Amino acid sequence: MFKLPPDDNSKELEVGELYSVLKRRGYFWPSFEIYGGVAGFVDLGPLGSLIRENIEGIWKDKFLLEEGFHLVDCPSINPEVVFAASGHLEKFSDLLVRCSSCLLPFRADHLLEDLIENPDALGKDELAAALKENDIRCPECSSELGGPEEFNLMFSTFIGPGKEKLAYLRPETAQSIFMDFNSLYRYNRDRMPFGVAQIGKGFRNEISPRQGMLRLREFHMAEGEFFFDPDDPSFKGAGRYLDLEVGLLASSDPGSTIHTTLGKATDEGIIGSRLLAHFLGVTHSFATSIGIPAGGMRFRQHLPSEMAHYARDCWDLEVITSNGWVEMVGVADRSAYDLNQHAKASGVDLRARRKFDEPIVREISRLQPKMKEMGPIFRGDAKALGEALESLDPKNLKDHISSREPITVTLRGKEVEIPSNCYELVEGQERIHVEPFTPNVIEPSFGIDRLMVSVLEHAYRESDTSPKGGESEDGTYRVLRLDPRVAPVKAGVFPLLNKDDLPELASPLNDRLRRRGLNTYYDVSGSIGRRYARMDEIGTPFCITIDHQSVEDGSATVRERDSGEQVRVPIEGMVDLIEDLCRGRVSFENL
RNA sequence: GCGGGCGUGGUGUAGCCUGGUAUCACUUUAGCUUGCCAAGCUAAAAACUCGGGUUCAAAUCCCGGCGCCCGCACCA
């Protein structure tokens, strides 16, 4: 259990209470509930869908508008080759062995860890043999173990009729961006560096998902892939976050949180690069703007043992929740791993070109085979012999060349003499303008559902009374202090009484607000206090009340959620005012 | 997947041992009322996790499935 912020009069959080409110008020609930439900799946209700869109909108503002990333949208179903190349087929799947008597499952490679080197790399049959050789038995009851069975965390399916074309639901959205690298590089007009973003769903067939929204089998993710030249890691906006103070848990000292600025942490080598630090800054800034308090988050560096197969370095943004510190975002240094893997598997060149300001002048000296002479002599071997000749270093053969002696090369274990009329020495200068290289990648990867519940948990307050001292029925007054940009409903619109021409004034105002794109909630039922309470509970930041004075002078009151304070303003400018309040252009206190 | 616990209106519950179709509160809806923070009155809607067995009769007893929670294991 946690309590944030530590100041106000809110009670210690009853998270169970919060989740029942969220379910009741339409944020989210278990999927397939009428059939008993399936763990690891949730439905976002009307309010949950809206808050998710709002959070993703703020994410887009951050990554597309501020950081200049390009947005793409790619399929969730990918053919098998994709994950064979990415390594997910092998690394994302565990070989399990099950005890024949107590039926407990174990990771086969873990059982062999101390006995043989790198058991992780063994195939299914090799593992079975190794288990037998070392006479491994069930660690629990010492009975015999069954043969290893594969368990892959990816959902599989088939493309088209028949069962030939095996496919998987993507466990991350990143792979599409790597496969599309050439098109995206061209789109960016062959310039480096650049970032690409994607928001979509990921799927992981977790063995046993628990903890509700924190480990789902189908989840929303927002990922960015920033491609850069490892020899020139400069980028726009460097320095934007150097002075940002953050909490860091470095893998060298996982026990203690360091509080320092991103700039200092980079200078001291705690964070590996400016670029990595920059994206920690972007991540931090995003999390803050959706309502996670700075005091409730920290960055934790992965230990070498927990690193994903593709990562060279990884920092997680962790947020304190009712489940303790939970990973929300992974900022990983994927090096050139993925592009190299896809290039190798597909045979397609996935490299960028580095342009030199000044062409590089290189002294060259090599043996150039004369194929015209070699062809008639060596026939079918001519090409291979020519290549062998080219690969030789002329420096070691100076004497042969100057005395025009034959040169001996080895082909398929046989020594072959190549006469001097079949080659010539090429010497001189070569001017190089571009050089191909495989870009490196920094990947910030966001778990949207987790962030959503964290935002809700951190926004939740319970107190004994409403802001103005009104008694609630069960002694607990519940408020979601959501940022107006995140809140699914921006304003409640209430006629104080359901008569005396008040609805006739309130309803058109409600229509005008909605036409401006502001999601409102029009409510005439119950006492005014009850209606405020309903809005507070779902996090609506403002309530507009039309009363008798409104009929007389065209004014209405606007109530702010957290303070309960009201101001009276002209109905005429109400739509602009609410819009400005929700976008943070004006603050309620200054009205 | 294993072990343990649990499963009653939207929510929280009573009833289960000792079989006779369900308690209470909140919520919701409609009307009245109500001149700014869950007020009141009247009415209404709404549940026994599923399947099988025992029995005249099952929320209740028995068996099984499913789901949830906790622990173990798993968690790129």
Side-chain angles (χ1 to χ4, degrees):
Chain A
M1 215 59 70
F2 68 102
K3 190 177 183 225
L4 273 169
D7 52 349
D8 58 27
N9 62 344
S10 60
K11 295 179 180 174
E12 187 84 350
L13 276 179
E14 274 297 335
V15 180
E17 190 63 32
L18 166 63
Y19 284 97
S20 111
V21 169
L22 292 175
K23 182 179 176 189
R24 178 158 44 83
R25 302 311 296 259
Y27 271 94
F28 49 79
W29 49 72
S31 303
F32 321 119
E33 216 177 1
I34 65 164
Y35 292 110
V38 180
F41 296 94
V42 296
D43 293 347
L44 295 186
L47 296 181
S49 300
L50 290 172
I51 191 175
R52 197 200 94 223
E53 281 197 337
N54 293 342
I55 289 171
E56 288 177 354
I58 294 170
W59 191 88
K60 282 190 217 163
D61 288 348
K62 188 99 317 217
F63 277 85
L64 307 187
L65 302 182
E66 249 176 63
E67 295 295 319
F69 277 50
H70 308 306
L71 186 68
V72 297
D73 197 345
C74 308
S76 301
I77 296 174
N78 289 212
E80 188 181 24
V81 282
V82 173
F83 300 113
S86 71
H88 285 87
L89 209 50
E90 186 196 344
K91 304 281 183 168
F92 220 61
S93 116
D94 295 329
L95 284 166
L96 295 180
V97 285
R98 204 173 288 288
C99 171
S100 55
S101 108
C102 70
L103 297 175
L104 282 176
F106 300 96
R107 290 254 318 246
D109 51 341
H110 285 186
L111 295 176
L112 288 161
E113 211 135 57
D114 304 329
L115 296 162
I116 58 176
E117 234 174 84
N118 207 5
D120 210 21
L122 296 182
K124 191 172 171 180
D125 298 337
E126 294 163 310
L127 263 176
L131 285 168
K132 201 159 196 179
E133 246 171 59
N134 292 286
D135 192 32
I136 307 282
R137 289 171 166 274
C138 173
E140 290 294 315
C141 68
S142 302
S143 303
E144 282 204 32
L145 292 169
E149 344 156 5
E150 298 239 356
F151 183 83
N152 194 293
L153 261 19
M154 290 190 291
F155 287 98
S156 64
T157 184
F158 300 97
I159 299 175
K163 302 239 155 171
E164 306 87 52
K165 189 116 182 145
L166 187 56
Y168 293 95
L169 273 69
R170 61 183 178 193
E172 56 171 12
T173 66
Q175 294 308 320
S176 293
I177 296 177
F178 300 130
M179 289 185 277
D180 286 351
F181 175 76
N182 283 344
S183 299
L184 292 163
Y185 183 44
R186 196 182 314 125
Y187 173 79
N188 202 52
R189 292 169 43 210
D190 286 9
R191 291 168 305 177
M192 293 292 279
F194 68 99
V196 181
Q198 179 163 206
I199 298 178
K201 277 185 168 181
F203 307 83
R204 295 175 192 183
N205 197 3
E206 301 284 355
I207 295 171
S208 170
R210 301 265 172 90
Q211 304 155 315
M213 293 289 275
L214 293 183
R215 266 179 81 207
L216 295 173
R217 286 180 163 134
E218 177 172 344
F219 51 95
H220 296 92
M221 56 202 310
E223 294 191 304
E225 310 296 330
F226 189 79
F227 296 102
F228 65 100
D229 179 349
D231 284 2
D232 175 21
S234 61
F235 57 100
K236 236 173 92 183
R240 190 179 293 157
Y241 295 110
L242 292 181
D243 294 329
L244 182 67
E245 193 150 322
V246 295
L248 298 173
L249 270 177
S251 63
S252 53
D253 181 12
S256 62
T257 307
I258 311 158
H259 293 277
T260 183
T261 66
L262 286 170
K264 275 188 211 152
T266 316
D267 293 340
E268 288 164 20
I270 299 166
I271 299 171
S273 71
R274 292 246 168 234
L275 200 47
L276 197 54
H278 177 72
F279 283 109
L280 296 186
V282 175
T283 300
H284 193 279
S285 152
F286 166 73
T288 307
S289 61
I290 59 173
I292 311 270
M297 55 180 149
R298 67 185 188 192
F299 288 104
R300 189 179 69 83
Q301 187 177 28
H302 277 204
L303 301 170
S305 58
E306 63 181 323
M307 210 90 75
H309 64 272
Y310 48 71
R312 183 162 62 186
D313 191 7
C314 186
W315 288 82
D316 283 347
L317 175 77
E318 297 187 330
V319 173
I320 187 71
T321 71
S322 57
N323 279 282
W325 288 95
V326 176
E327 167 198 351
M328 299 284 146
V329 183
V331 184
D333 176 353
R334 295 180 78 132
S335 67
Y337 175 84
D338 301 275
L339 288 176
N340 280 336
Q341 289 294 106
H342 283 299
K344 213 189 304 170
S346 66
V348 173
D349 189 355
L350 296 175
R351 289 183 296 178
R353 275 143 302 278
R354 184 183 289 140
K355 292 156 195 91
F356 300 120
D357 296 338
E358 292 286 317
I360 287 179
V361 181
R362 203 183 279 173
E363 297 294 329
I364 54 160
S365 167
R366 64 189 164 89
L367 289 169
Q368 174 80 46
K370 291 182 179 171
M371 297 314 287
K372 196 177 169 187
E373 306 292 340
M374 289 184 56
I377 304 174
F378 299 107
R379 310 241 161 199
D381 289 339
K383 194 180 175 210
L385 286 169
E387 280 168 9
L389 199 60
E390 265 187 307
S391 69
L392 296 175
D393 186 348
K395 267 180 271 173
N396 305 331
L397 299 161
K398 277 211 166 83
D399 298 342
H400 287 74
I401 295 165
S402 53
S403 60
R404 303 200 62 78
E405 281 171 42
I407 290 175
T408 309
V409 299
T410 309
L411 181 69
R412 291 190 293 270
K414 270 189 174 174
E415 296 201 335
V416 181
E417 289 204 335
I418 298 177
S420 63
N421 65 326
C422 289
Y423 65 84
E424 68 179 342
L425 181 65
V426 177
E427 282 187 308
Q429 290 185 332
E430 194 179 37
R431 296 165 77 82
I432 303 167
H433 296 264
V434 295
E435 180 179 49
F437 70 97
T438 306
N440 280 30
V441 172
I442 299 286
E443 174 194 80
S445 172
F446 294 68
I448 297 294
D449 310 88
R450 290 178 171 195
L451 282 164
M452 182 179 85
V453 291
S454 302
V455 166
L456 290 166
E457 281 197 5
H458 281 276
Y460 185 60
R461 299 289 188 286
E462 290 180 352
S463 51
D464 296 330
T465 63
S466 79
K468 285 297 177 192
E471 297 278 331
S472 75
E473 270 151 11
D474 60 356
T476 305
Y477 196 89
R478 304 179 186 88
V479 184
L480 278 177
R481 291 197 177 173
L482 296 173
D483 185 288
R485 280 168 298 181
V486 169
V489 178
K490 307 302 186 193
V493 181
F494 313 142
L496 184 59
L497 297 175
N498 198 15
K499 60 178 184 187
D500 303 337
D501 289 339
L502 300 186
E504 285 69 19
L505 208 48
S507 180
L509 172 62
N510 182 53
D511 291 343
R512 278 168 51 213
L513 286 159
R514 295 181 78 88
R515 274 201 297 273
R516 182 65 71 84
L518 295 162
N519 191 32
T520 57
Y521 196 95
Y522 184 76
D523 195 352
V524 297
S525 85
S527 72
I528 194 72
R530 172 175 234 96
R531 284 178 267 170
Y532 288 149
R534 276 200 276 252
M535 288 297 101
D536 288 347
E537 202 174 58
I538 63 169
T540 303
F542 304 106
C543 291
I544 302 163
T545 304
I546 303 290
D547 57 13
H548 290 88
Q549 193 180 332
S550 307
V551 181
E552 286 162 25
D553 67 3
S555 69
T557 60
V558 178
R559 168 189 182 269
E560 198 264 339
R561 175 193 61 208
D562 301 336
S563 60
E565 296 299 331
Q566 287 180 305
V567 291
R568 184 168 284 277
V569 297
I571 293 174
E572 189 61 31
M574 187 64 82
V575 176
D576 288 331
L577 176 65
I578 297 296
E579 188 176 44
D580 288 345
L581 282 168
C582 286
R583 295 197 171 198
R585 287 197 284 243
V586 293
S587 78
F588 186 83
E589 294 88 69
N590 297 337
L591 291 180

